[in-house]
Amino acid sequence: MESSVHTVTVEEAADLIRDPYPLFAKRRQEFGVFKGSVMDWSKTPESMMPEHLYAAVSFDAVNRVFRESKVFNSHIYDSTIGLFIGPTILAMEGKRHWEHRNLVSAAFKTRSLSRWEPEIVRPVVNGLIDEFIDVGHADLVKQFTLEFPTRVISKLLGLPEEDLPWFRKRAVELISYTVKWKRAFEASAALKEYFLQQIEQRRSKPTEDIIGDLVSAEIDGEKLTDEAIYSFLRLLLPAGLETTYRSSGNLLFLLLTHPEQFRAVQADRDLIGPAIEEGLRYETPLTTVQRYAAEETELEGVTLPQGAVIDVCIGSANRDEKRWERAEEFDIHRKRVPHISFAAGEHTCMGLHLARMETRVAVECLLDRMTDFQLVTDDNPHIHGQPFRSPTAIPVTFSAAG
Ligand code: HEM
């Protein structure tokens, strides 16, 4: 079993972007862990290929990799997104990670959430709906899901309103680093200068926003350096903005393409929470992350050499038929069994409560203010992408409620 290599073939690669789940299922039926990859490496030059590639696809294997962060570390981020955002908790481990995460997480306490919902998230979401409600049609990706997390983050950070267009542009350039890396480096440098000014202003005049909290955060007399602060702020763009816009789009798309479940949510708002969790399980915005094996180790009967790069396939784990009945069905009424879209262990998503709250408010406001939703399917909108997934568009018609 260990000697055969299962990389993505040319034929499989063609289907991967549209729907990687059949490939995940095929691999998962044979292995929990295998030598090979669930990513398409065909465009990577030979000289840049990792020597040892493995993939974890069962729920148990993915869960174990996340939880054993000493053996499976995330240093790989230093040579990927870390090049664009700088050193952050994402690539740290152990004591250093714990100390650093404690410092930054003060800005994300649940206490803040109860304030953020009425003061920031609801006004942002309603303000966006105001922009298209009278027209009777909209592309909910362009006009809604892509926009509300950016506006929310910029307000949470306490950025001046007039900077939003500039900030939005640089944020999009940074998160598109796999497509245009040179432009992403420029955006990263521009964001650094911009955040340094924001940090400086708060040193002389403290504010009650995330940047203000980061400037004053202190544990045992230790404070965050400027580099740690602006790197963390840049991390919030791929970590907090991209994931939330994609996952909220996935949920809306799934509900609109499952009209009975959509009607059930319209009739009973208590179903929004289960719908969010099922959306995250069924179509996670990020299907795969990577880890390094820090030492030779065994995972589900497969020996991984030291230095192996491991695809940690969240998307596959979330559809493991050993954990969920009818795992390949989207069903908001299913018995709740936790998914792994927010990872697990020490790198568990720091923004998971915020992401859930933002999505809930977005769905609540849409349902409160609009009715008779119809998905316009002329241009064949669909969820696509690997490893990041979201709808190509969500063109809808609707009526304003009551
Ligand atoms: C549905 C939306 C989201 C999903 C699916 C998601 C998913 C994840 C995942 C899988 C990780 C672990 C990555 C890894 O270890 O390789 C992570 C980490 C992280 N997320 Fe999220 N995330 C979401 C929203 C957010 C939001 C809204 C924020 C903040 C504004 C955020 C901030 C972070 C941070 C700071 C980390 C790093 C934690 C650490 O390394 O200790 N995320 N997220």
Side-chain angles (χ1 to χ4, degrees):
M1 180 166 83
E2 288 182 40
S3 55
S4 44
V5 184
H6 298 272
T7 43
V8 172
T9 64
V10 177
E11 299 77 51
E12 286 168 340
D15 299 332
L16 210 60
I17 300 221
R18 178 64 186 255
D19 186 1
Y21 286 96
L23 177 83
F24 296 165
K26 194 168 137 194
R27 296 285 186 269
R28 200 174 55 239
Q29 268 144 31
E30 280 186 84
F31 329 96
V33 175
F34 62 89
K35 188 168 181 164
S37 178
V38 293
M39 304 294 289
D40 175 14
W41 290 86
S42 63
K43 294 186 188 76
T44 308
E46 190 69 26
S47 59
M48 290 178 73
M49 284 295 291
E51 197 183 341
H52 305 291
L53 268 175
Y54 286 80
V57 289
S58 70
F59 184 90
D60 288 347
V62 166
N63 192 28
R64 201 185 129 197
V65 172
F66 276 137
R67 286 175 191 278
E68 291 185 18
S69 50
K70 248 186 147 166
V71 184
F72 305 104
N73 68 50
S74 56
H75 296 178
I76 192 159
Y77 283 122
D78 284 333
S79 52
T80 55
I81 182 110
L83 297 174
F84 298 88
I85 58 174
T88 70
I89 51 172
L90 203 53
M92 294 176 192
E93 62 181 283
K95 191 163 174 278
R96 184 157 171 257
H97 173 265
W98 187 82
E99 285 173 354
H100 205 100
R101 181 164 162 134
N102 267 345
L103 275 167
V104 291
S105 66
F108 278 86
K109 287 275 177 291
T110 335
R111 166 181 61 82
S112 317
L113 278 192
S114 54
R115 233 183 58 202
W116 289 343
E117 178 174 340
E119 288 176 13
I120 292 180
V121 181
R122 263 179 205 279
V124 161
V125 168
N126 276 320
L128 269 175
I129 296 176
D130 288 342
E131 290 176 19
F132 56 75
I133 190 162
D134 293 333
V135 187
H137 62 87
D139 172 1
L140 292 181
V141 172
K142 256 199 207 124
Q143 293 168 264
F144 192 64
T145 55
L146 197 56
E147 187 60 17
F148 81 81
T150 315
R151 292 197 190 181
V152 167
I153 291 243
S154 103
K155 283 191 185 289
L156 295 181
L157 298 184
L159 307 182
E161 194 93 31
E162 63 273 18
D163 293 352
L164 180 67
W166 183 91
F167 177 68
R168 178 198 295 117
K169 191 160 186 289
R170 299 289 99 77
V172 170
E173 288 169 355
L174 181 74
I175 63 181
S176 311
Y177 70 98
T178 52
V179 192
K180 290 195 176 167
W181 60 267
K182 228 175 132 212
R183 200 185 57 176
F185 270 127
E186 284 158 14
S188 167
L191 283 162
K192 171 183 160 181
E193 290 310 316
Y194 178 72
F195 286 141
L196 277 172
Q197 284 168 19
Q198 297 293 321
I199 292 166
E200 204 41 53
Q201 285 168 15
R202 281 156 183 80
R203 288 242 157 81
S204 48
K205 201 166 162 237
T207 50
E208 283 202 20
D209 49 47
I210 288 185
I211 303 183
D213 285 351
L214 293 172
V215 166
S216 57
E218 191 174 315
I219 291 182
D220 296 336
E222 203 204 324
K223 284 192 161 214
L224 289 163
T225 61
D226 282 357
E227 187 190 32
I229 298 178
Y230 67 70
S231 300
F232 180 72
L233 294 172
R234 287 188 301 205
L235 164 66
L236 291 183
L237 306 178
L241 195 154
E242 179 160 29
T243 46
T244 311
Y245 107 68
R246 291 182 186 273
S247 64
S248 55
N250 288 347
L251 174 62
L252 291 173
F253 189 86
L254 288 166
L255 287 173
L256 286 161
T257 49
H258 294 79
E260 261 176 47
Q261 298 189 48
F262 187 60
R263 280 194 292 276
V265 176
Q266 270 179 316
D268 178 3
R269 301 299 160 83
D270 287 348
L271 285 172
I272 294 178
I276 291 173
E277 298 313 311
E278 178 65 352
L280 282 165
R281 179 194 75 82
Y282 187 78
E283 272 290 6
T284 177
L286 175 57
T287 67
T288 313
V289 297
Q290 269 87 27
R291 291 291 191 264
Y292 277 137
E295 58 198 52
E296 183 181 295
T297 187
E298 192 243 285
L299 188 62
E300 298 216 347
V302 178
T303 305
L304 313 183
Q306 183 185 25
V309 171
I310 306 146
D311 288 342
V312 189
C313 192
I314 295 171
S316 174
N318 276 347
R319 295 211 193 173
D320 190 334
E321 34 292 286
K322 291 202 185 102
R323 190 169 166 89
W324 289 276
E325 279 175 25
R326 301 171 291 106
E328 300 286 347
E329 262 176 52
F330 173 72
D331 178 4
I332 64 169
H333 303 289
R334 69 168 63 247
K335 184 170 153 263
R336 169 107 198 274
V337 176
H339 56 73
I340 200 152
S341 295
F342 291 118
E346 71 175 29
H347 290 283
T348 297
C349 177
M350 243 178 72
L352 83 178
H353 299 301
L354 172 63
R356 283 176 169 138
M357 183 265 275
E358 281 187 80
T359 312
R360 172 176 54 75
V361 172
V363 176
E364 277 173 7
C365 293
L366 284 175
L367 295 183
D368 283 349
R369 301 191 56 194
M370 292 137 84
T371 179
D372 304 328
F373 285 91
Q374 288 292 334
L375 183 68
V376 181
T377 53
D378 301 356
D379 292 330
N380 187 22
H382 57 272
I383 295 176
H384 82 155
Q386 161 70 349
F388 281 105
R389 285 180 69 70
S390 55
T392 49
I394 313 181
V396 282
T397 58
F398 51 81
S399 315

